[in-house]
Amino acid sequence: MACQSSDELEVLVKEARAYTQNGKVADYIPALGKANPNDLSIAIYYPDGRCISAGDIEEKITLQSISKVISLALVLMDRGQDYVFERVGMEPTGDPFNSIIKLETIAPGKPLNPMINAGALVVTHMIKGNSVEERFQRLLSFVQEMINDPTITYNAEVARSEFETAHLNRALCYFIKQHNIIEEDVEQLMDLYTKQCAIEMNCLDLSRIGMVFAMDGVDPQSGKQIMPVDVARICKTFMVTCGMYNASGEHAIKIGVPAKSGVSGGIMGTVSGKYGIGIFGPALDEKGNSSGGIKLLELLSAKYKLSLF
């Protein structure tokens, strides 16, 4: 069973919107603190090109941690699985996304997975290119290809705001650099990473990226294989095990849809072989996930039996 109309989605948005009151926007990044905590929107993108949506769909989202799935896909294509997973692990942590503790205690300098900040910084470090600009352009072109929109760009204000306040991420970089997993200048890597996190789109665009992952890396409109099947499979697996920060286990039980969240309030979901989901609700719970967005995805999954478990 699948959702067929925007009217059906409007009912779910209306029910989930009450849960935005339980969260707060990510004001530790000043530019994100300007978001309206009551905003909530959803889009579902189908392989035949249909897209249904509801809520505040014109609002723009910066990808933030959702970009970690996309950079991982690019780097797996650039470097291959062996190279990537020698430098970053595959295991969930159970710790907050910005924690340093497992870097010290489990595998010194090797982050446990690509979805925590430490792991994402190592992945971004692996993007091929001779300059920050060339590497960022390769990542941005990959995003534009998945959405089929060459106008997608990044929010310079958000990137600058993150660059100026990313002291903890710098600390993670220096710790990993001490163990020779990161080899470039830390400020250069932070410049690239903050631009990556600030790539901007609306939830319709986000749902289209989710749809490409759902279709095992194929854009069904053009028929083009944008990423290999194996790369799409690995990314979806990480979305299940690590995609919702340290609420990933609860998410798997209650919702069961591979998804990745970001502290801007975005959630990208993927229902294999069926469709992609894009959600935006900037009020976050204590684990950094959209409080209204999680409820919306939970209602959608329950109503249409989307859990893969």
Side-chain angles (χ1 to χ4, degrees):
M1 185 165 64
C3 183
Q4 297 299 329
S5 73
S6 294
D7 290 345
E8 290 175 55
L9 288 183
E10 284 287 1
V11 173
L12 300 182
V13 169
K14 190 173 180 182
E15 186 176 342
R17 200 183 290 274
Y19 290 79
T20 62
Q21 309 300 317
N22 302 340
K24 64 190 289 285
V25 297
D27 53 11
Y28 64 90
I29 299 169
L32 295 184
K34 299 175 182 177
N36 180 352
N38 299 316
D39 282 348
L40 189 62
S41 56
I42 183 170
I44 296 178
Y45 206 103
Y46 292 89
D48 63 5
R50 281 184 307 131
C51 185
I52 59 175
S53 59
D56 311 290
I57 52 169
E58 67 291 335
E59 295 297 326
K60 290 282 184 81
I61 318 158
T62 52
L63 285 178
Q64 301 302 327
S65 284
I66 298 170
S67 70
K68 294 170 180 175
V69 185
I70 299 164
S71 59
L72 176 62
L74 181 63
V75 162
L76 284 167
M77 292 191 293
D78 272 356
R79 307 278 188 179
Q81 291 180 42
D82 290 347
Y83 184 97
V84 172
F85 295 122
E86 274 169 28
R87 290 156 178 80
V88 61
M90 303 181 188
E91 297 303 325
T93 68
D95 292 321
F97 62 91
N98 54 5
S99 174
I100 201 168
I101 192 165
K102 293 272 179 27
L103 279 178
E104 290 193 279
T105 56
I106 303 291
K110 181 180 177 179
L112 276 185
N113 69 68
M115 300 296 113
I116 52 174
N117 286 14
L121 288 159
V122 171
V123 168
T124 298
H125 170 61
M126 292 187 236
I127 296 173
K128 284 187 175 178
N130 296 316
S131 65
V132 167
E133 195 44 57
E134 185 185 337
R135 291 155 77 199
F136 178 65
Q137 199 49 57
R138 289 191 62 241
L139 180 65
L140 187 61
S141 297
F142 185 46
V143 172
Q144 291 168 343
E145 185 179 24
M146 281 196 275
I147 299 171
N148 192 27
D149 182 354
T151 68
I152 294 291
T153 185
Y154 77 104
N155 184 314
E157 182 197 357
V158 171
R160 187 168 55 251
S161 184
E162 294 195 45
F163 185 82
E164 288 167 359
T165 55
H167 307 306
L168 185 50
N169 279 343
R170 284 181 174 85
L172 294 169
C173 285
Y174 279 113
F175 191 94
I176 299 163
K177 189 170 181 174
Q178 174 70 24
H179 295 276
N180 302 314
I181 292 175
I182 285 175
E183 293 160 342
E184 71 179 300
D185 176 75
V186 167
E187 292 305 294
Q188 187 174 293
L189 178 55
M190 290 310 306
D191 184 19
L192 178 56
Y193 185 71
T194 52
K195 284 175 177 161
Q196 167 188 314
C197 289
I199 295 172
E200 191 172 52
M201 62 190 64
N202 59 33
C203 65
L204 281 72
D205 302 322
L206 196 55
S207 68
R208 198 178 197 283
I209 295 176
M211 186 268 297
V212 172
F213 280 107
M215 303 310 290
D216 290 330
V218 174
D219 176 358
Q221 262 94 71
S222 67
K224 184 175 181 186
Q225 187 88 42
I226 294 174
M227 70 185 84
V229 173
D230 239 24
V231 168
R233 180 186 61 78
I234 290 167
C235 290
K236 284 187 283 189
T237 308
F238 275 120
M239 287 162 77
V240 172
T241 59
C242 316
M244 306 302 283
Y245 305 130
N246 49 325
S248 295
E250 182 183 355
H251 176 87
I253 289 167
K254 286 187 172 179
I255 299 172
V257 173
K260 182 74 198 85
S261 61
V263 296
S264 58
I267 302 173
M268 178 184 73
T270 176
V271 181
S272 285
K274 293 182 178 175
Y275 48 74
I277 302 167
I279 289 175
F280 176 50
L284 308 180
D285 63 22
E286 69 284 351
K287 288 178 178 167
N289 296 316
S290 169
S291 49
I294 290 284
K295 188 63 188 178
L296 186 49
L297 195 52
E298 187 181 334
L299 292 169
L300 188 75
S301 180
K303 183 167 184 179
Y304 299 104
K305 297 181 171 49
L306 302 183
S307 175
L308 54 79
F309 299 109

